C-alpha cells in the first residue's frame, strides 16, 4: 500500500515539476490568462471549490464538448476514481473508488438538479446536454446527498433559464456508423422577472457490432431528449426554477457475444455475433425502448438576511421495455423480455443559515416514495435447454453425459447420440424416456412469466453545521437520520408449456424450467419497516494560505436494508456501512495558473451487499458477502503552461478487495477478491491547445489519452465457489461447457482521442473533427452477464474507432 501511494504522489509531483520550472521564467502580468475560479453547490450553498473540504471533481459543458464526452461513460474516463460501464440503457454500472452501483439502492448517488435519480436504476442513464456543470463528490456524503451516497455522488446540474437576455445555440454532428447528433438551446428573457429556456438533443447511432441473426446490428441507439426550464424571480427574496425533462430512447440491443458458440467458425468478441429475437419477447427486435418524464420545482425564499428556505419537489414517470438474448447464439435458448414501470415522488424542505459570521448551517427533511412493477419473461426451445442442462440431468441419474447417451440409445430414443449437443439437439425428452418410458417430443416455445412489485418509502431528517474556529480553521459536523418502509411481491405463471405433458416441461418434468415453482400462481409478498439509522460526517479544514486549503474527514456511509426474494421467501438483508477517513488538499499556485485537488483515503465496509442472478429461481437476489477494505489516492489537476496551452491530468490508485473473514471470524466466499470494475491504477491526460489565426479566430487542438490497469468484471473474479469441510471455500475456475476457461477480466489498455477545431473570433460559430479511439484499441467492457449464471458467459466489446465532424453556431 505505502509503495503504491508513494508512487502515485511521485507521479503527480513529477508530472507538474517541468511545468513549474517553465512558469518560473515567466512572471505573471495583469493581462496573463488565469484558470477560472470554480463555484459548486456541493454543501447546499454556492462556494468556491477551494472552500469545500471534500474531494470534488467538476466539469462544465465547454469541457465536455472539448473532450468529446457527451455521455457519462466517456466523461467518467476523465474523473479520477470513477468508472462507468454503460453497456445498455437499462443496466449502467457506476463504480466510484471501486464500489459499484448495480440494481437496487445505489451506492453512488445520482442526482439531477439536486434530486436523487439513482433509484430505480433502469432510469439513471440520462442524456448529457446543455449542462451548467457536473459535480462528482467522493467519499461518504450521506448528510449532503442522502443514504444513496455510500461512497459518493454525481450531480448533473442543468442550465437554468436566465434573466440576462435572449440567446441560443445549435450544434450538428455526424460520423461513422450513421452517427448523428443535433443539439439546440434557446433562452428567452420574457421580462425582468420571468425567463424560459428550451433545450433538446437528438442522437442516433447505428449498431457497430454486426449481427448475423434476425435482429439489427447491436449497440445502436436513437435518443430524443427535450427540456423546458422556467425561472421566475417576482421579488428580491423569492426565486422559482421549474424543469421539465422528457427523454425517449430506442436501442438495437446490447452485444452479448458468446464466448462458447462460434460465429463463422470462430469465437471473436470483436467480430460478428448471432443474437436472435422471437415473438415471445414482445419487441420486433432486440434492445430497449424507454420513456422518461421528470418534473422538478426548486423554490428559494430568503426569510431574512440570515435564514433562507428551499423547497425541492420532484415527480418522475418511467417506462421501459427490453428484449435480450443471453446466450449469444442464433437459436432460442436463453431469451428474455422485461417490462418495467415506476413512479417516484420526493419532497425536500431545507433551512439555510448564514449571517456572515463564524457559523453557517442547514437543516431539513426529505420524503421519497417509489412504486415499481416489473414483468420478466423467459422463453426457450426445450431441445436446446435440454442440451444446456444435460450434465445436470445425467448426474441426477448417476450418469455422465456419455453414459446417458448410451442408455437413451438402448431405449431406442431417436437422436440419442445428440443428447447434450447444441448443433443438432435431441428432440425428445431424456427424462420422459428414462423416468416415464415414453417418447415425449420437446416443445419449441416454452414461456414463463414473473411479475414483481417494489415499494419504498424513505423518511430523512438531516442537519449540517460549519463553525470557523479561527480565520484559518473550520470544523464541520453533519448528521442524517433515515427510516424506511419496504414492500415487495412476486408471482409466477407458465404461459406456454409442453402440450404432451399437461403443464410440465419436457426438460425437468416440472411446471417451471427457470422461475421458482414456489411462486407459480401463488403470490409471495413481504413488507418491513426498518429501524432508524444514523449516518454522519466530521470535517476539519485548515487554510494554509489564501490559495491552499487542507482538510481531514471522517464519514459513515450506509446502503440501506433491502428485501431479497428466494423462492416464495423474502429476506431482509442487513444494511451495508462504510467508515471512511480521508485527508486532502486543494491548491492554486503561480497566480492561479496551476490548480490541483488531491486526497488519500481508507475505508472499511461491513455487510457488503452483492447482487447476482439466481439461475435456479430466475431472479436477481441480493446477499451479504461480508466485509471489505479499500484505500487509495486521487489526483485531479490542470495547468496553464502558456496562455494558449492548458494541460489536464488525473490519476487514481484504487485498492478495493474483500476481507478474509467477517466480524465473527467466518471465512468469506470472496476472500481476497478485487471488486468488479475496479482497476487498481488509472489515469487520463489531455491538452487544450489554442493556435491564434489573426483576426479570423483560433484553431484548437485537444489530444487526450486514457489508461486503465487490469480489472475484473465480476466480484467472483472468474471462479465458482464450493464450501469445504474446513469452514472455507474451494475455488474452481469458471469454464464453458467444453471445459475452456472463462477469462472474466480485461488486461491494461489505453485509448487515444483527438479533437481538431476552429472557432471564429467572435465565438459565434465554429467547426471541428473528432477522432475517438484513434488507434482502434480492442478492449472489453464486460464478461459474464446473465449467461454467466448458466455457464455460458457472454462478452461485450468497447467502442471501436470512430470519426465525427461537427459545426456549431451561437446567436
Amino acid at each position: 500500500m505505502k509503495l503504491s501511494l508513494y508512487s502515485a504522489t511521485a507521479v503527480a509531483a513529477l508530472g507538474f515539476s517541468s511545468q513549474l520550472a517553465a512558469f518560473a521564467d515567466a512572471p505573471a502580468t495583469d493581462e496573463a490568462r488565469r484558470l477560472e475560479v470554480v463555484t459548486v453547490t456541493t454543501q447546499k450553498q454556492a462556494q468556491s471549490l477551494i472552500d469545500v473540504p471534500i474531494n470534488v471533481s467538476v466539469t462544465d459543458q465547454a469541457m465536455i464538448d472539448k473532450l468529446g464526452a457527451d455521455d457519462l461513460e466517456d466523461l467518467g474516463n476523465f474523473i479520477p476514481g470513477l468508472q462507468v460501464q454503460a453497456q445498455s440503457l437499462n443496466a449502467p454500472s457506476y463504480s466510484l473508488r471501486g464500489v459499484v452501483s448495480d440494481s437496487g439502492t445505489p451506492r453512488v448517488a445520482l442526482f439531477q438538479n439536486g434530486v436523487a435519480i439513482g433509484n430505480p436504476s433502469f432510469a439513471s442513464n440520462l442524456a448529457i446536454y446543455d449542462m451548467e456543470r457536473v459535480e462528482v463528490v467522493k467519499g461518504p456524503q450521506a448528510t449532503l446527498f442522502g443514504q444513496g451516497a455510500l461512497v459518493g455522488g454525481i450531480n448533473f446540474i442543468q442550465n437554468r433559464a436566465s434573466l440576462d437576455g435572449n440567446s441560443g445555440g445549435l450544434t450538428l454532428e455526424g460520423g461513422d456508423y450513421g452517427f448523428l447528433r443535433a443539439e439546440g438551446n434557446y433562452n428567452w428573457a420574457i421580462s425582468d422577472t420571468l425567463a424560459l429556456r428550451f433545450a433538446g438533443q437528438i442522437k442516433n447511432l447505428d449498431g457497430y457490432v454486426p449481427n448475423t441473426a434476425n435482429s439489427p446490428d447491436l449497440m445502436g441507439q436513437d435518443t430524443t431528449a427535450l427540456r423546458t426550464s422556467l425561472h421566475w424571480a417576482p421579488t428580491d427574496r423569492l426565486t422559482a426554477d421549474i424543469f421539465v425533462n422528457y427523454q425517449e430512447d430506442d436501442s438495437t440491443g446490447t452485444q452479448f457475444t458468446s464466448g462458447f458458440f462460434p460465429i463463422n467458425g470462430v469465437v471473436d468478441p470483436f467480430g460478428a455475433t448471432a443474437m436472435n429475437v422471437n415473438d415471445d419477447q414482445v419487441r420486433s427486435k432486440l434492445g430497449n425502448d424507454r420513456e422518461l418524464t421528470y418534473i422538478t420545482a426548486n423554490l428559494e425564499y430568503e426569510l431574512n438576511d440570515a435564514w433562507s428556505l428551499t423547497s425541492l419537489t420532484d415527480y418522475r414517470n418511467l417506462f421501459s421495455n427490453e428484449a435480450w438474448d443471453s446466450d449469444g447464439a442464433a437459436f432460442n435458448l436463453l431469451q428474455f423480455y422485461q417490462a418495467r414501470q415506476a413512479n417516484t415522488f420526493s419532497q425536500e424542505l431545507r433551512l439555510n443559515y448564514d449571517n456572515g459570521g463564524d457559523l453557517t448551517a442547514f437543516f431539513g427533511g426529505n420524503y421519497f416514495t417509489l412504486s415499481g412493477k416489473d414483468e420478466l419473461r423467459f422463453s426457450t426451445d426445450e431441445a436446446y435447454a435440454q442440451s444446456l442442462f444435460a450434465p445436470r440431468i445425467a448426474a441426477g441419474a448417476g450418469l455422465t453425459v456419455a453414459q446417458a447417451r448410451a442408455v437413451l440409445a438402448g431405449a431406442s430414443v431417436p437422436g440419442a447420440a445428440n443428447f447434450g449437443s447444441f448443433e443438432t439437439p435431441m428432440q425428445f425428452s431424456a427424462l420422459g424416456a428414462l423416468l416415464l418410458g415414453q417418447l415425449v417430443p420437446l416443445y419449441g416455445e416454452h414461456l414463463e412469466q414473473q411479475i414483481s412489485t417494489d415499494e419504498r418509502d424513505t423518511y430523512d431528517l438531516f442537519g449540517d453545521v460549519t463553525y470557523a474556529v479561527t480565520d484559518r480553521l473550520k470544523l464541520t459536523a453533519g448528521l442524517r437520520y433515515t427510516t424506511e418502509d419496504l414492500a415487495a411481491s412476486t408471482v409466477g405463471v407458465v404461459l406456454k408449456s409442453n402440450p404432451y405433458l399437461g403443464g410440465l416441461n419436457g426438460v425437468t418434468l416440472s411446471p417451471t424450467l427457470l422461475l421458482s415453482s414456489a411462486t407459480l400462481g401463488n403470490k409471495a409478498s413481504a413488507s418491513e419497516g426498518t429501524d432508524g439509522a444514523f449516518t454522519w460526517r466530521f470535517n476539519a479544514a485548515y487554510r494554509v494560505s489564501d490559495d491552499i486549503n487542507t482538510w481531514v474527514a471522517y464519514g459513515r456511509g450506509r446502503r440501506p436494508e433491502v428485501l431479497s426474494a428466494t423462492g416464495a421467501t423474502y429476506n431482509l438483508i442487513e444494511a451495508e456501512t462504510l467508515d471512511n477517513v480521508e485527508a486532502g488538499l486543494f491548491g492554486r499556485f503561480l497566480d492561479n495558473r496551476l490548480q490541483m485537488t488531491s486526497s488519500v483515503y481508507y475505508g472499511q465496509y461491513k455487510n457488503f451487499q452483492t447482487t447476482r442472478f439466481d439461475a435456479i429461481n430466475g431472479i436477481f437476489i441480493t446477499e451479504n458477502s461480508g466485509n471489505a477494505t479499500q484505500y487509495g489516492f486521487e489526483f485531479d489537476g490542470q495547468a496553464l503552461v502558456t496562455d494558449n496551452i492548458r494541460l489536464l491530468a488525473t490519476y487514481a490508485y484504487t485498492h478495493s478487495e474483500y476481507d478474509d473473514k467477517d466480524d465473527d471470524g467466518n471465512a468469506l466466499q470472496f476472500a481476497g477478491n478485487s471488486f468488479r470494475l475496479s482497476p487498481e491504477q488509472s489515469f487520463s491526460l489531455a491538452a487544450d491547445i489554442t493556435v491564434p489565426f489573426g483576426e479570423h479566430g483560433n484553431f484548437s487542438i485537444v489530444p487526450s489519452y486514457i489508461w486503465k490497469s487490469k480489472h475484473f468484471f465480476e466480484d467472483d473474479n472468474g471462479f465458482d465457489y464450493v464450501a469445504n469441510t474446513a469452514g472455507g471455500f474451494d475455488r474452481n475456475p469458471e469454464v464453458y461447457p467444453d471445459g475452456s476457461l472463462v477469462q472474466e477480466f480485461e488486461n491494461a489498455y489505453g485509448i487515444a482521442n483527438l479533437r481538431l477545431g476552429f472557432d471564429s473570433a467572435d465565438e459565434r460559430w465554429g467547426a471541428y473533427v473528432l477522432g475517438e479511439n484513434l488507434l482502434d484499441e480492442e478492449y472489453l467492457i464486460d464478461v459474464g452477464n446473465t449467461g454467466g449464471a448458466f455457464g455460458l458467459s457472454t462478452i461485450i466489446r468497447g467502442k471501436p474507432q470512430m470519426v465525427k465532424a461537427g459545426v456549431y453556431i451561437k446567436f
Side-chain angles (χ1 to χ4, degrees):
M1 171 185 176
K2 291 182 178 179
L3 178 61
S4 298
L5 292 179
Y6 291 156
S7 299
T9 305
V11 168
L14 290 173
F16 280 88
S17 61
S18 60
Q19 299 163 25
L20 292 173
F23 298 151
D25 296 329
T29 67
D30 290 341
E31 292 78 20
R33 180 185 172 196
R34 275 86 167 176
L35 294 170
E36 294 181 1
V37 175
V38 178
T39 300
V40 296
T41 54
T42 301
Q43 296 192 121
K44 308 292 187 181
Q45 57 182 319
Q47 294 177 290
S48 173
L49 186 56
I50 195 173
D51 295 322
V52 180
I54 304 170
N55 190 325
V56 184
S57 294
V58 186
T59 189
D60 59 15
Q61 187 66 56
M63 183 53 61
I64 290 171
D65 292 339
K66 286 191 174 183
L67 295 174
D70 60 349
D71 61 52
L72 188 56
E73 188 171 21
D74 294 329
L75 182 59
N77 290 326
F78 298 95
I79 297 173
L82 178 63
Q83 310 290 332
V84 181
Q85 182 197 71
Q87 65 182 39
S88 74
L89 292 170
N90 265 5
S93 293
Y94 304 97
S95 173
L96 191 58
R97 293 182 170 178
V99 179
V100 178
S101 277
D102 288 319
S103 57
T105 302
R107 294 184 177 99
V108 181
L110 296 174
F111 283 77
Q112 185 181 45
N113 302 318
V115 175
I117 61 170
N119 196 7
S121 60
F122 77 82
S124 63
N125 187 355
L126 301 180
I128 298 178
Y129 66 101
D130 196 37
M131 304 297 296
E132 178 181 328
R133 66 185 182 277
V134 179
E135 299 178 3
V136 181
V137 186
K138 323 291 180 59
Q141 304 298 339
T143 308
L144 301 177
F145 289 129
Q147 58 182 314
L150 175 82
V151 72
I154 306 171
N155 192 7
F156 301 96
I157 302 170
Q158 299 168 338
N159 279 319
R160 302 184 180 197
S162 172
L163 299 173
D164 292 339
N166 300 337
S167 63
L170 178 66
T171 299
L172 296 175
E173 184 177 280
D176 292 334
Y177 301 101
F179 179 81
L180 173 66
R181 179 170 68 98
E183 289 182 5
N185 65 79
Y186 186 74
N187 189 88
W188 179 25
I190 301 173
S191 69
D192 292 340
T193 61
L194 184 65
L196 276 173
R197 187 180 184 92
F198 306 95
Q201 180 192 78
I202 297 174
K203 186 162 67 172
N204 300 326
L205 176 68
D206 295 340
Y208 54 78
V209 177
N211 187 24
T212 62
N214 65 346
S215 193
D217 293 345
L218 303 162
M219 305 303 282
Q221 182 177 326
D222 293 343
T223 293
T224 299
L226 303 171
R227 181 186 311 139
T228 299
S229 57
L230 179 145
H231 179 76
W232 184 46
T235 71
D236 292 340
R237 292 186 177 275
L238 175 64
T239 60
D241 288 280
I242 299 175
F243 299 88
V244 179
N245 279 275
Y246 175 81
Q247 181 168 334
E248 186 177 284
D249 305 283
D250 184 12
S251 74
T252 62
T254 303
Q255 170 202 9
F256 291 123
T257 294
S258 175
F260 174 69
F261 298 114
I263 306 299
N264 299 324
V266 296
V267 173
D268 180 9
F270 303 101
T273 188
M275 294 173 56
N276 72 300
V277 65
N278 63 41
D279 291 340
D280 290 328
Q281 291 176 270
V282 181
R283 283 172 54 91
S284 61
K285 63 181 181 181
L286 296 173
N288 175 227
D289 59 271
R290 297 188 310 171
E291 188 174 321
L292 314 176
T293 304
Y294 295 66
I295 302 174
T296 306
N298 187 339
L299 279 68
E300 298 181 10
Y301 182 67
E302 294 183 9
L303 301 173
N304 52 45
D305 291 342
W307 290 93
S308 63
L309 174 65
T310 299
S311 171
L312 190 57
T313 308
D314 182 78
Y315 171 76
R316 289 181 285 153
N317 192 17
L318 317 166
F319 295 91
S320 169
N321 297 282
E322 183 174 20
W324 71 98
D325 177 357
S326 293
D327 52 76
F331 44 75
N332 293 325
L333 175 54
L334 301 174
Q335 310 296 124
F336 289 92
Y337 165 78
Q338 189 169 36
R340 298 179 179 181
Q341 63 181 60
N343 294 287
T344 72
F345 173 80
S346 68
Q347 174 63 57
E348 178 173 301
L349 292 174
R350 185 179 75 249
L351 282 169
N352 279 64
Y353 173 79
D354 185 357
N355 69 347
D358 295 332
L359 181 69
T360 59
F362 62 82
F363 310 93
N366 180 274
Y367 170 69
F368 171 80
T369 182
L370 163 70
S371 177
K373 180 179 180 180
D374 285 7
E375 173 195 345
L376 179 67
R377 288 189 173 197
F378 164 69
S379 60
T380 190
D381 182 328
E382 287 184 344
Y384 287 102
Q386 180 171 264
S387 293
L388 176 63
F389 294 116
R392 187 183 304 175
I393 295 170
L399 304 171
T400 65
V401 172
Q403 290 170 337
R405 287 172 182 160
V407 171
L408 292 169
S412 300
V413 177
N418 294 326
F419 177 66
S421 168
F422 290 102
E423 293 184 3
T424 53
M426 189 174 76
Q427 297 296 314
F428 293 89
S429 170
L431 289 182
L434 296 175
L435 299 181
L436 304 178
Q438 300 177 10
L439 281 179
V440 180
L442 292 174
Y443 183 51
E445 298 181 10
H446 180 84
L447 178 62
E448 303 174 7
Q449 180 189 65
Q450 176 181 275
I451 297 176
S452 58
T453 63
D454 178 28
E455 296 181 4
R456 180 182 294 266
D457 291 306
T458 304
Y459 307 87
D460 289 277
L461 294 173
F462 56 86
D464 202 270
V465 177
T466 298
Y467 181 71
V469 180
T470 69
D471 290 343
R472 295 184 179 273
L473 178 64
K474 289 186 178 181
L475 302 179
T476 299
L479 187 67
R480 180 178 290 260
Y481 175 78
T482 302
T483 184
E484 292 191 301
D485 294 327
L486 309 176
S489 70
T490 304
V491 63
V493 61
V494 176
L495 299 178
K496 295 182 182 180
S497 62
N498 195 307
Y500 302 99
L501 290 173
L504 304 180
N505 73 75
V507 180
T508 62
L509 299 186
S510 60
T512 61
L513 184 59
L514 180 63
L515 303 182
S516 171
S517 59
T519 61
L520 192 62
N522 177 36
K523 186 175 182 179
S525 61
S527 59
E528 292 281 351
T530 66
D531 295 331
F534 289 96
T535 50
W536 55 79
R537 70 166 182 149
F538 299 102
N539 296 64
Y542 184 76
R543 195 67 169 258
V544 177
S545 68
D546 289 344
D547 294 319
I548 300 176
N549 193 23
T550 61
W551 47 270
V552 294
Y554 166 64
R556 160 69 63 88
R558 180 176 179 270
R559 191 189 201 194
E561 298 90 346
V562 62
L563 285 172
S564 181
T566 303
T569 303
Y570 279 89
N571 299 310
L572 185 67
I573 306 301
E574 194 171 352
E576 172 186 321
T577 60
L578 165 64
D579 288 297
N580 184 80
V581 292
E582 190 161 354
L585 96 137
F586 180 92
R588 296 189 296 241
F589 308 97
L590 300 166
D591 199 24
N592 202 23
R593 292 172 66 86
L594 167 66
Q595 67 182 31
M596 58 177 285
T597 301
S598 183
S599 70
V600 293
Y601 60 89
Y602 178 88
Q604 284 279 353
Y605 290 91
K606 302 293 184 183
N607 304 314
F608 195 81
Q609 298 171 2
T610 55
T611 302
R612 64 179 177 86
F613 186 77
D614 181 1
I616 302 299
N617 293 297
I619 55 174
F620 286 93
I621 64 172
T622 301
E623 54 195 2
N624 189 321
S625 57
N627 298 347
T629 299
Q630 71 171 186
Y631 50 82
F633 167 85
E634 292 169 351
F635 171 86
D636 190 347
Q638 55 179 309
L640 283 170
V641 178
T642 72
D643 284 357
N644 294 324
I645 300 177
R646 177 170 57 152
L647 300 181
L648 303 98
T650 70
Y651 173 81
Y653 171 81
T654 307
H655 180 92
S656 299
E657 68 175 30
Y658 290 93
D659 295 346
D660 291 336
K661 297 181 180 180
D662 63 17
D663 288 343
D664 298 324
N666 300 312
L668 296 181
Q669 179 174 334
F670 293 159
N673 283 10
S674 298
F675 288 2
R676 66 183 296 256
L677 300 182
S678 178
E680 191 166 63
Q681 300 192 65
S682 60
F683 69 81
S684 70
L685 298 170
D688 180 8
I689 303 169
T690 300
V691 181
F693 190 53
E695 62 183 11
H696 303 289
N698 300 302
F699 289 100
S700 64
I701 306 171
V702 184
S704 62
Y705 185 76
I706 302 105
W707 184 87
K708 301 178 182 182
S709 64
K710 176 182 176 179
H711 50 280
F712 293 92
F713 295 120
E714 299 292 345
D715 288 327
D716 60 27
N717 286 190
F719 290 92
D720 291 322
Y721 297 82
V722 179
N724 58 37
T725 56
F729 294 87
D730 293 328
R731 293 161 36 118
N732 301 308
E734 291 185 13
V735 296
Y736 291 104
D738 62 357
S740 60
L741 290 177
V742 178
Q743 293 192 343
E744 213 167 67
F745 61 87
E746 177 56 278
N747 288 312
Y749 66 90
I751 300 172
N753 306 311
L754 178 64
R755 183 184 188 273
L756 304 174
F758 176 80
D759 303 287
S760 66
D762 59 4
E763 298 183 345
R764 290 289 187 176
W765 64 273
Y768 59 89
V769 176
L770 175 64
E772 298 179 339
N773 192 4
L774 278 178
L775 304 179
D776 204 15
E777 177 78 3
E778 293 185 340
Y779 64 100
L780 306 179
I781 64 171
D782 206 4
V783 177
N785 306 298
T786 306
F790 300 88
L792 294 175
S793 289
T794 54
I795 307 168
I796 305 174
R797 65 160 299 170
K799 295 178 182 177
Q801 180 190 81
M802 293 187 188
V803 178
K804 305 172 182 177
V807 295
Y808 72 86
I809 58 172
K810 296 180 181 179
F811 47 86

